Amino acid sequence: VQMETVCMPLFVPSEVRFFGSDWAAFGHLREVVRKGPYTATTKDVVSRIRIEDKKYLNKHTIDNAQWGTRLVSSARDIDYSLYYMYINNRNPVLRETTSNGNALKKALYVPTQSNLNDLVALSPSDDDLTLQREHPRLHIIGSDFETVIGEYGLRGECGLFLGMPYLRDDFSYVRKDTLSLGLGIDHTTDKDWYYNVQFIENIIPDYEALFAQEEYTHQATVNVKKDFLRGDFSFELDSGYNFSLGDRMFNPELSYNLNNGVELKVGLFVFEGDAATLFGRYSAKDTVYIETTYAF
């Protein structure tokens, strides 16, 4: 049995843009309202929306230290571990500062004319229109395993997340314990096609109606790779599908190694689903990209 411990004394949150780009969480809402046929009152309300960091995010103190420990062992060709982590949720959560902040979040996450009108009808103050970005602390207890069965690799993991942040269906903030289970299989065929399939199940035992979150969430990811021309040309496909909410993503990519260390990649992102889902919110933003790298 081996024991591993890691400590990260400084917390660096994930950078998330909320307004002003195609990939921002709330897109171009401010620009659309400012330039659109809306009343002066509506434009004033939207222009006063603010998202602020909680003060602790900018303080490198021991209170923000994250750490974890893991016990690693093996038995009968199965590697397995048990672990515990105490970390910050890296993705930001928006907290209301007043009760009217729930109407603000509803207008942001589901930006229909009706929801925007409901917000304006409240004659919101600056405090009502201010949301605080925070990264709540999480306790995570879990285990994982990995083994080989014939020509197939098999791995799995389960984790209990204590106090995961969610939004109720009225957009108020709530924390729920969440159990996450994952099982993955990978295999390389005789003709060197590589496949990796993973299934993830999330369960919220103490469930109540939540925004864009079911009691049982079933998801799958598929990765396919194949090299050609002695590795100079390759094809790869990444994809994800949420069976519970119906949103999905496809990312096919072709890459070619040119002479003198130059690699060219051409790919496509395709998003589908309801506007309230993770991938569906970008369903009108399918993207073609070209990437060039030079190694020297």
Side-chain angles (χ1 to χ4, degrees):
V1 177
Q2 295 181 339
M3 182 175 182
E4 302 172 349
T5 301
V6 62
C7 179
M8 296 177 288
L10 304 181
F11 172 58
V12 180
S14 297
E15 290 293 331
V16 175
R17 190 169 182 178
F18 290 97
F19 298 100
S21 81
D22 288 344
W23 305 105
F26 307 127
H28 295 281
L29 177 64
R30 282 175 171 163
E31 292 85 349
V32 169
V33 172
R34 185 178 70 248
K35 298 177 181 179
Y38 295 89
T39 65
T41 302
T42 300
K43 292 183 178 183
D44 173 68
V45 166
V46 172
S47 70
R48 290 190 288 122
I49 295 174
R50 296 289 181 269
I51 296 176
E52 301 177 346
D53 287 336
K54 293 198 80 172
K55 293 181 179 179
Y56 78 87
L57 289 178
N58 298 319
K59 292 183 179 179
H60 298 311
T61 67
I62 194 64
D63 293 336
N64 292 326
Q66 304 172 95
W67 62 276
T69 187
R70 182 170 73 154
L71 296 176
V72 182
S73 188
S74 62
R76 296 186 179 181
D77 298 325
I78 300 176
D79 297 326
Y80 65 90
S81 71
L82 303 173
Y83 60 83
Y84 166 78
M85 293 186 291
Y86 183 49
I87 63 173
N88 290 91
N89 195 55
R90 292 189 62 85
N91 292 323
V93 178
L94 297 182
R95 295 288 305 274
E96 64 277 12
T97 56
T98 72
S99 59
N100 286 341
N102 296 331
L104 170 58
K105 285 188 285 185
K106 186 175 183 180
L108 290 174
Y109 284 103
V110 187
T112 62
Q113 184 66 60
S114 175
N115 289 341
L116 189 57
N117 290 342
D118 290 343
L119 174 64
V120 173
L122 294 173
S123 299
S125 66
D126 287 345
D127 287 340
D128 295 331
L129 295 173
T130 299
L131 298 175
Q132 287 193 330
R133 171 172 32 194
E134 74 170 37
H135 298 259
R137 300 285 254 175
L138 299 176
H139 297 275
I140 304 174
I141 304 169
S143 65
D144 58 55
F145 77 90
E146 183 174 10
T147 189
V148 175
I149 301 177
E151 297 180 348
Y152 295 85
L154 179 65
R155 59 185 56 84
E157 184 171 3
C158 66
L160 177 62
F161 294 73
L162 301 177
M164 277 290 290
Y166 294 103
L167 294 177
R168 295 187 177 94
D169 60 356
D170 66 355
F171 290 87
S172 60
Y173 176 83
V174 67
R175 300 185 68 171
K176 299 282 186 180
D177 296 343
T178 303
L179 180 64
S180 183
L181 308 169
L183 184 66
I185 299 174
D186 65 346
H187 173 63
T188 301
T189 70
D190 294 337
K191 297 191 177 185
D192 294 326
W193 281 92
Y194 172 78
Y195 299 90
N196 187 318
V197 180
Q198 299 185 63
F199 179 80
I200 303 100
E201 178 81 6
N202 291 323
I203 303 170
I204 303 175
D206 183 25
Y207 184 78
E208 60 182 296
L210 300 174
F211 170 67
Q213 185 68 48
E214 301 293 334
E215 181 177 5
Y216 302 95
T217 303
H218 328 296
Q219 304 171 70
T221 65
V222 178
N223 175 262
V224 180
K225 298 180 183 178
K226 168 67 173 174
D227 290 334
F228 302 91
L229 302 178
R230 298 181 179 180
D232 286 336
F233 179 75
S234 64
F235 164 80
E236 182 171 358
L237 171 66
D238 282 317
S239 62
Y241 183 75
N242 187 317
F243 296 94
S244 301
L245 301 177
D247 58 318
R248 50 207 178 273
M249 180 277 295
F250 302 94
N251 174 213
E253 180 181 88
L254 299 174
S255 63
Y256 185 69
N257 290 318
L258 304 174
N259 294 326
N260 302 320
V262 177
E263 182 181 28
L264 177 66
K265 293 182 179 180
V266 179
L268 173 68
F269 277 106
V270 178
F271 303 97
E272 299 292 341
D274 185 81
T277 60
L278 175 63
F279 297 131
R281 68 188 311 119
Y282 303 112
S283 60
K285 298 179 176 64
D286 296 343
T287 301
V288 177
Y289 63 89
I290 299 175
E291 177 183 337
T292 304
T293 57
Y294 174 61
F296 58 92

